[in-house]
Amino acid sequence: MPYVYLAIPLAPLLGAIIAGLFGRQIGRAGAHWVTIIGVAVSFALSLWVFKHIVLDGAPVYNEAVYTWMATDAFRFEVGFLVDNLTALMMVVVTGVSLMVHIYTIGYMHDDPGYQRFFSYISLFTFSMLMLVMANNFMQLFFGWEAVGLVSYLLIGFWFKRESAIFANLKAFLVNRVGDFGFLLGIAAVLMYTGSLDYMAVFGQADQLAATTIEVLPGTEWNLVTVIAILLFIGAMGKSAQVPLHVWLPDSMEGPTPISALIHAATMVTAGIFMVARMSPLYELSEVALSLVVVLGALTAFFMGLLGIVQNDIKRVVAFSTLSQLGYMTVALGVSAYSAAIFHLMTHAFFKALLFLAAGSVIVALHHEQDMRKMGGLYKYMPVTFVTFLVGTLALIGFPGFAGFFSKDAIIESVHASSIPGAGLAYWLVLLGVFVTAFYSFRMFFLVFFGEERMDDHARAHLHESPRVVTVPLVLLAIPSAIIGWIAIEPLVFGDFFAGAITVAPEHDVVGEVGHHYHGQWSFILHAFQAPALWLALGGVATAWFIYMVRPSIATAARERLGFLHALLDRGYGFDEFNNQVFARGTLALGRGLSSQGDARVIDGWLVNGAARLVGWGARVVRHVQTGMMYHYAFVMIAGLLVFMTWFMFA
């Protein structure tokens, strides 16, 4: 079994190395075949592990496979923890990655960096697998930083574009802020437990909860709260929670396949997975849970509003990712970890589908991304149209589709929670349902219906994408439609995560909601009595009326509500604040240190000042050397008198 677990991450790593180092020798076809085979092997083995662990009930695997460094105090190891949570994440990561790899053959067909791109996305898959399979904080941090590094390379893949370089640098810097908190949290774990192994740390969780530390002079903080908040700061960066969300929309500068991979199965899901894995720590701190639920709710609602004013098709889908990550974070904050992971899984399928379908549209229109230059595409691209519709219905939570089951499970769990902040969160996620439906169907109607707004050249060459693009769309549309039916009962209301996730009895909101669960049809019927479904339908109807029946309403609203539109278009000013305070502030600080610290203090006072001091001393001392004997005799007698006086009175 250890060899199987080793093969799962190493197969895509091997493909990445071969495509990256020997891309010229094996050619374009060789690069995509070696990486696709590597990810396919990983996916097949992940399915086998899922069957072995989940379906056959095999014992959890938790072993170290390599000791990197050992001292008398600490051990740093590479090891795997494979339980139901890990097995599910492995299938999601490798399955979505495989579809993205296949799709990339068509999307990147004419790109000169073809081999390099396949190497990067395969390396991305390896990094995420190492993260989710880790059984200790050191390996978790390795995978955490590896996905950050590869995302930097992929967002800036078209490095000749200044916007791409700016975007990948922005992602790198923002994630460094989050990772600084994450590293401090890991350091605190090691300092107070003496171990980085998950099970060893969780075994001491009660001791951590009983310990207080002085973070600031005169203030006592519960240690487990400090650790949980520091770890969540890392999750805020990776999973793009306010205010560390600003890098995610700009990640659209990378090619569409990597947008799908980052937003669906890797990178942004890392923070959600990490908090769920750390549930034994979070359950001991309501302060940390309250922080998680409030920030998640703010992200879910206010980032969704930004999707309304976007005209770039990829940016609309990107802001929907921000909003949906907020829903997952809210679920974590109310201890509905199973609902959060369930939504992570369903979101991976329908968000990958939406991004890849958007990419199909972009390629068909010769890389046009502005929805104002689209329209009427359903006649030309029927497969893309149907699969895009499936993804959109799943995203808004239409009854029966995957997103409906996972999103409604989160909303009901938040409604049942008594965690401080859950009341505010409930109203925000509820209003977010209307917002999601509105911007999603605004995008859908502008792209596929209405007048054809593309130029004559684009219209003349419009056609459905090749099978290498449409087949992954169909394969992703299937789980986007049906996976909710299959998975809601075992994942959310069953004991699927027993042993992998810890929930305190007083926080068991999923169990409370589960008392009223009587099957999928009952869940759907209950939705008709709840406000979420009607808000979603209201959002769809509003989008249809404004953009299909009375488009003048949108123009009039933009003119009359110019300030609000500008505020949303500027993303509430987060980028401006960061540029003014942090970017320009750092430059101003650097200039000040250069002109005042370096030029005046170091050069002026220390270097040149020392030289001037020596010169002044030399000018003074030279007057002592007169060459007159009586001067020297006088100094000797005066010195002798001083010494005699000193000795007498001493």
Side-chain angles (χ1 to χ4, degrees):
M1 286 303 296
Y3 299 106
V4 173
Y5 298 133
L6 275 172
I8 290 173
L10 291 182
L13 176 62
L14 181 62
I17 292 172
I18 295 173
L21 298 181
F22 307 102
R24 291 185 179 180
Q25 289 80 1
I26 63 177
R28 296 164 73 89
H32 72 235
W33 275 114
V34 71
T35 51
I36 288 174
I37 290 173
V39 175
V41 168
S42 184
F43 177 57
L45 292 176
S46 297
L47 288 175
W48 183 85
V49 169
F50 187 88
K51 174 185 177 299
H52 181 67
I53 297 290
V54 177
L55 302 181
D56 296 343
V60 171
Y61 181 85
N62 182 20
E63 298 289 343
V65 297
Y66 174 72
T67 300
W68 177 57
M69 185 172 67
T71 68
D72 293 337
F74 310 118
R75 293 180 66 85
F76 300 94
E77 300 172 328
V78 175
F80 298 135
L81 169 59
V82 183
D83 53 14
N84 287 13
L85 175 59
T86 306
L88 178 66
M89 290 296 298
M90 288 160 57
V91 171
V92 171
V93 170
T94 56
V96 172
S97 179
L98 180 59
M99 295 300 102
V100 170
H101 275 69
I102 297 171
Y103 174 94
T104 301
I105 297 174
Y107 190 89
M108 301 292 289
H109 183 267
D110 299 321
D111 196 282
Y114 191 84
Q115 293 97 314
R116 178 166 58 94
F117 188 80
F118 272 98
S119 175
Y120 286 172
I121 59 176
S122 193
L123 186 61
F124 210 165
T125 307
F126 158 76
S127 303
M128 190 66 186
L129 286 170
M130 288 296 287
L131 188 155
V132 301
M133 295 176 69
N135 75 342
N136 63 83
F137 284 92
M138 188 202 78
Q139 186 176 326
L140 173 70
F141 188 71
F142 166 79
W144 194 268
E145 293 302 308
V147 294
L149 170 63
V150 184
S151 69
Y152 169 82
L153 297 173
L154 284 163
I155 294 169
F157 181 79
W158 287 320
F159 54 84
K160 293 184 179 179
R161 298 181 182 177
E162 288 189 13
S163 57
I165 297 302
F166 179 81
N168 74 348
L169 184 61
K170 186 177 182 180
F172 183 82
L173 292 175
V174 172
N175 274 278
R176 294 291 70 73
V177 175
D179 292 353
F180 179 68
F182 189 63
L183 189 58
L184 287 177
I186 294 176
V189 167
L190 181 61
M191 178 178 178
Y192 286 96
T193 67
S195 177
L196 292 175
D197 182 82
Y198 289 163
M199 294 302 117
V201 173
F202 296 160
Q204 300 181 53
D206 290 334
Q207 298 177 27
L208 297 177
T211 304
T212 58
I213 59 174
E214 198 172 87
V215 178
L216 297 173
T219 60
E220 293 288 333
W221 280 67
N222 183 275
L223 177 58
V224 79
T225 296
V226 173
I227 292 172
I229 291 175
L230 288 172
L231 294 177
F232 181 66
I233 291 173
M236 288 169 61
K238 280 290 182 289
S239 294
Q241 298 298 290
V242 173
L244 301 183
H245 67 283
V246 292
W247 68 270
L248 193 59
D250 288 347
S251 68
M252 297 301 97
E253 289 295 332
T256 299
I258 193 51
S259 299
L261 201 54
I262 288 177
H263 287 245
T266 61
M267 187 71 171
V268 298
T269 62
I272 306 300
F273 166 80
M274 184 275 295
V275 175
R277 177 61 81 192
M278 299 300 137
S279 60
L281 300 179
Y282 281 89
E283 285 302 288
L284 298 175
S285 173
E286 285 203 354
V287 173
L289 290 175
S290 295
L291 176 67
V292 172
V293 75
V294 170
L295 288 178
L298 294 174
T299 304
F301 179 69
F302 289 103
M303 294 303 106
L305 287 177
L306 299 184
I308 296 174
V309 300
Q310 303 301 315
N311 294 311
D312 185 316
I313 185 173
K314 285 176 63 177
R315 287 181 72 86
V316 175
V317 185
F319 278 110
S320 81
T321 299
L322 279 171
S323 181
Q324 298 308 304
L325 288 168
Y327 276 88
M328 298 176 211
T329 304
V330 167
L332 296 173
V334 297
S335 299
Y337 304 100
S338 58
I341 298 299
F342 182 39
H343 195 51
L344 183 156
M345 180 192 70
T346 61
H347 176 265
F349 291 119
F350 66 71
K351 186 51 58 69
L353 172 61
L354 284 173
F355 266 114
L356 298 187
S360 177
V361 170
I362 291 168
V363 170
L365 292 173
H366 305 286
H367 292 276
E368 178 60 65
Q369 297 181 198
D370 192 334
M371 296 186 298
R372 293 170 295 185
K373 299 178 182 179
M374 300 179 187
L377 295 184
Y378 77 95
K379 296 177 291 187
Y380 304 96
M381 309 180 71
V383 177
T384 301
F385 164 69
V386 172
T387 53
F388 201 105
L389 176 60
V390 171
T392 305
L393 291 173
L395 172 60
I396 71 168
F398 191 81
F401 287 81
F404 163 76
F405 292 104
S406 56
K407 186 180 288 188
D408 270 37
I410 291 175
I411 293 172
E412 292 299 324
S413 297
V414 176
H415 195 205
S417 176
S418 59
I419 290 286
L424 170 66
Y426 174 70
W427 288 107
L428 289 178
V429 296
L430 201 57
L431 292 173
V433 172
F434 175 87
V435 174
T436 301
F438 180 78
Y439 69 68
S440 298
F441 270 87
R442 170 183 177 267
M443 171 178 62
F444 183 73
F445 291 137
L446 287 176
V447 172
F448 291 103
F449 290 96
E451 61 177 322
E452 299 175 4
R453 299 177 297 277
M454 70 286 295
D455 57 46
D456 293 334
H457 175 74
R459 185 185 294 107
H461 294 84
L462 263 176
H463 58 82
E464 183 59 89
S465 298
R467 289 185 180 179
V468 74
V469 171
T470 57
V471 168
L473 295 182
V474 173
L475 293 177
L476 286 168
I478 294 171
S480 297
I482 67 172
I483 196 68
W485 287 87
I486 300 169
I488 183 172
E489 196 161 327
L491 262 64
V492 180
F493 301 118
D495 59 353
F496 186 91
F497 295 113
I501 288 174
T502 299
V503 179
E506 62 272 19
H507 297 160
D508 190 13
V509 292
V510 172
E512 186 175 337
V513 174
H515 291 317
H516 307 286
Y517 176 79
H518 303 291
Q520 295 91 330
W521 283 110
S522 173
F523 200 73
I524 292 174
L525 291 174
H526 176 266
F528 283 92
Q529 304 169 22
L533 174 59
W534 299 107
L535 285 168
L537 295 177
V540 175
T542 306
W544 171 79
F545 184 76
I546 291 177
Y547 293 97
M548 292 291 98
V549 180
R550 295 282 182 84
S552 59
I553 295 177
T555 305
R558 187 162 50 248
E559 292 174 354
R560 294 181 182 179
L561 302 174
F563 170 76
L564 180 59
H565 183 275
L567 180 65
L568 295 176
D569 195 43
R570 294 188 348 251
Y572 306 114
F574 277 101
D575 283 329
E576 295 172 11
F577 176 81
N578 291 335
N579 289 336
Q580 292 292 335
V581 175
F582 295 114
R584 294 189 180 181
T586 303
L587 289 174
L589 177 63
R591 293 192 190 100
L593 291 175
S594 174
S595 62
Q596 301 299 319
D598 189 29
R600 176 172 295 185
V601 177
I602 297 176
D603 287 344
W605 296 352
L606 298 181
V607 179
N608 296 330
R612 286 194 293 268
L613 180 63
V614 171
W616 175 82
R619 287 192 298 271
V620 172
V621 171
R622 73 180 182 179
H623 293 295
V624 176
Q625 302 295 332
T626 63
M628 301 296 182
M629 289 296 295
Y630 61 86
H631 286 166
Y632 302 151
F634 174 77
V635 171
M636 292 172 63
I637 294 170
L640 181 62
L641 290 174
V642 170
F643 277 113
M644 290 177 63
T645 304
W646 171 264
F647 285 119
M648 287 174 62
F649 287 99

